[in-house]
């Protein structure tokens, strides 16, 4: 095939027949892809309606894919929606199992889209849902050990998808851009303090920059850069749920900065800063978690509060990642499916 030629997929199912047969024969089907049966068997038969094409790393020297192995845009969109509607809400095997499966299948969707040079509204819909999935996962699995959830790999896929999506918004006039302002703000929030993200914001049109969502995201970025932790958390509570999930990964860093500032600002042998006040400022819903964080940072904590001493602050300490009570409360109002579809 010539360098500028585009291959068009002809596979009308979520998994090509050739791959389905191979994986069924070799016992490589995922538990989400097999038929429910009352008979115990090592290799239960596969369910064609549930089986989704898995990601395959391109091999050097390997011939290009056959059209029958590639799913056209409508099938890719259908596949993404199937993964959200039918898999993301499962909890019988633990959500790490859901994440690993959906992560792999969405990666295969993106691969098919790249090979076929899919563009316009189908690509926008795919990328928006891929981004929501990875950002939601970064919060839901934030406290999992690295063996179960690799934050760096997840971050790589968020960044790749975000940059590609913003590029599509910019250059393709016929795409569905109704969610552009939300995802432009998510890019800023996910990349607080990043020079490239700030430069991108400043290159946007005046109308776009004056949008309330983007102005809020930029204000949060300023509070982060200035280590204004009080203003930071106050502004964050005005975000929609996806914005909160996007900015959450920066909480530990700004909390560390807040404790460092307070170690100097409230330095005293006689003063005890009330835990309840500190918990309210840093939006901790669990005082025990905050107490442990303060102790790990080198401060003495008693029933009267925290004794901040600048000489006691452990510069090498790391504030542990945590879930946030006000985010958890909002998440309880929505289903995973609605969040990933952007229905919030």
């Amino acid at each position: 095939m010539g360098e500028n030629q585009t291959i068009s997929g002809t596979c009308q199912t979520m998994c090509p027949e050739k791959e389905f047969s191979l994986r069924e024969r070799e016992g490589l089907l995922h538990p989400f892809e097999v038929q429910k049966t009352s008979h115990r068997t090592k290799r239960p038969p596969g369910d064609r309606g549930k089986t989704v094409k898995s990601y395959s790393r391109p091999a050097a020297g390997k011939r290009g894919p056959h059209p029958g192995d590639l799913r056209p845009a409508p099938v890719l969109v259908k596949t993404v929606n199937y993964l959200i509607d039918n898999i993301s809400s499962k909890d019988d095997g633990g959500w790490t199992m859901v994440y690993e499966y959906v992560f792999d299948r969405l990666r295969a969707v993106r691969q098919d889209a790249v090979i076929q040079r899919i563009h316009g509204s189908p690509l926008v819909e795919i990328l928006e849902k891929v981004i929501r999935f990875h950002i939601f996962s970064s919060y839901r699995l934030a406290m999992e050990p690295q063996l179960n959830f690799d934050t760096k790999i997840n971050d790589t896929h968020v960044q790749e998808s975000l940059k590609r999506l913003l590029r599509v918004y910019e250059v393709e006039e016929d795409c569905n851009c109704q969610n552009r302002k939300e995802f432009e703000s998510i890019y800023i929030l996910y990349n607080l303090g990043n020079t490239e993200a700030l430069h991108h914001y400043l290159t946007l049109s005046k109308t776009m920059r004056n949008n309330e969502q983007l102005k809020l995201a930029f204000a949060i970025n300023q509070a982060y850069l200035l280590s204004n932790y009080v203003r930071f958390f106050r502004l964050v509570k005005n975000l929609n749920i996806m914005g909160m999930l996007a900015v959450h990964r920066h909480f530990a860093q700004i909390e560390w900065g807040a404790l460092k500032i307070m170690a100097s600002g409230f330095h005293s042998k006689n003063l005890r800063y009330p835990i309840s006040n500190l918990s309210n400022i840093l939006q901790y819903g669990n005082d025990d978690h905050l107490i442990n964080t303060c102790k790990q940072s080198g401060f003495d904590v008693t029933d009267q509060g925290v004794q901040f001493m600048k000489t006691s602050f452990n510069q090498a300490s790391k504030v542990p990642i945590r879930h946030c009570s006000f985010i958890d409360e909002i998440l309880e109002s929505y289903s995973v499916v609605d969040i990933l579809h952007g229905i919030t």
Side-chain angles (χ1 to χ4, degrees):
M1 184 185 298
E3 200 174 291
N4 295 319
Q5 285 183 287
T6 301
I7 184 172
S8 298
T10 59
C11 176
Q12 296 301 312
T13 55
M14 294 191 296
C15 181
E17 180 62 33
K18 182 179 173 183
E19 178 183 325
F20 175 82
S21 299
L22 173 65
R23 289 172 55 206
E24 184 179 45
R25 184 172 65 251
E26 299 297 327
L28 298 175
L29 290 173
H30 192 278
F32 292 154
E33 300 174 333
V34 297
Q35 295 180 25
K36 289 185 178 180
T37 174
S38 57
H39 304 291
R40 291 187 178 181
T41 173
K42 272 190 173 182
R43 294 184 181 178
D47 187 327
R48 282 177 167 78
K50 295 179 180 178
T51 306
V52 182
K53 181 180 179 180
S54 61
Y55 175 76
S56 175
R57 190 179 299 276
K62 186 179 178 181
R63 292 182 61 185
H66 185 275
D69 297 327
L70 296 172
R71 297 158 294 178
V75 180
L76 291 178
V77 171
K78 173 188 171 185
T79 301
V80 171
N81 288 332
Y82 168 81
L83 292 169
I84 292 174
D85 296 337
N86 298 85
I87 305 298
S88 70
S89 57
K90 289 181 178 291
D91 56 11
D92 48 344
W95 215 78
T96 52
M97 181 179 178
V98 170
Y99 171 78
E100 289 169 1
Y101 180 78
V102 177
F103 171 90
D104 178 87
R105 274 37 177 191
L106 287 179
R107 195 176 185 186
V109 166
R110 288 167 54 206
Q111 184 181 52
D112 276 14
V114 168
I115 293 171
Q116 297 174 87
R117 299 183 185 177
I118 288 170
H119 58 89
S121 294
L123 180 59
V124 167
E125 183 175 354
I126 289 168
L127 291 175
E128 287 179 349
K129 291 175 180 179
V130 166
I131 292 164
R132 289 193 193 104
F133 168 76
H134 283 291
I135 289 179
F136 174 78
S137 300
S138 72
Y139 181 82
R140 179 153 183 172
L141 301 176
M143 298 174 72
E144 289 287 330
Q146 187 174 3
L147 184 65
N148 294 340
F149 177 67
D150 193 316
T151 56
K152 289 186 177 180
I153 291 177
N154 191 72
D155 171 60
T156 297
H157 287 270
V158 174
Q159 300 287 15
E160 287 176 355
S161 299
L162 263 175
K163 289 177 182 178
R164 190 171 178 210
L165 175 63
L166 299 189
R167 181 62 179 162
V168 174
Y169 285 148
E170 184 181 349
V171 302
E172 296 193 24
E173 296 179 359
D174 61 339
C175 73
N176 182 357
C177 296
Q178 65 180 15
N179 297 322
R180 180 176 181 180
K181 296 180 179 68
E182 177 186 2
F183 281 91
E184 291 282 4
S185 68
I186 284 173
Y187 181 57
I188 298 169
L189 295 167
Y190 194 80
N191 292 286
L192 292 184
N194 180 276
T195 305
E196 185 180 342
L198 281 174
H199 179 265
H200 175 78
Y201 169 79
L202 295 172
T203 62
L204 295 173
S205 67
K206 185 176 180 180
T207 302
M208 187 72 71
R209 293 198 309 273
N210 285 335
N211 172 264
E212 289 304 316
Q213 279 183 292
L214 280 154
K215 285 168 68 176
L216 176 58
F218 186 69
I220 291 171
N221 187 77
Q222 287 180 305
Y224 175 81
L225 290 171
L226 294 171
S227 298
N228 188 338
Y229 49 90
V230 176
R231 178 171 167 77
F232 174 86
F233 283 109
R234 187 170 68 242
L235 291 173
V236 164
K237 295 187 85 169
N238 293 317
L239 293 168
N240 64 21
I241 185 59
M242 189 52 62
M244 290 180 183
L245 297 179
V247 79
H248 167 260
R249 75 194 195 109
H250 302 284
F251 281 16
Q253 180 62 34
I254 201 161
E255 286 163 18
W256 183 90
L259 293 176
K260 183 179 180 182
I261 292 170
M262 297 183 87
S264 296
F266 295 93
H267 173 82
S268 173
K269 291 183 179 180
N270 303 315
L271 177 67
R272 295 279 176 170
Y273 195 94
I275 280 289
S276 58
N277 287 18
L278 186 58
S279 180
N280 185 53
I281 289 171
L282 299 181
Q283 294 299 319
Y284 272 77
N286 186 323
D287 286 352
D288 291 339
H289 193 115
L290 177 56
I291 289 168
N292 289 334
T293 297
C294 289
K295 287 180 178 179
Q296 288 176 30
S297 299
F299 304 123
D300 183 46
V301 185
T302 67
D303 291 341
Q304 285 72 46
V306 184
Q307 183 181 40
F308 285 115
M309 299 286 289
K310 59 185 177 183
T311 52
S312 299
F313 182 64
N314 181 5
Q315 296 277 354
S317 65
K318 287 187 177 181
V319 172
I321 193 81
R322 63 178 174 94
H323 285 157
C324 183
S325 57
F326 72 84
I327 294 179
D328 288 340
E329 288 172 9
I330 296 172
L331 284 175
E332 289 177 2
S333 304
Y334 302 103
S335 68
V336 177
V337 174
D338 284 346
I339 290 169
L340 300 187
H341 278 305
I343 308 171
T344 56

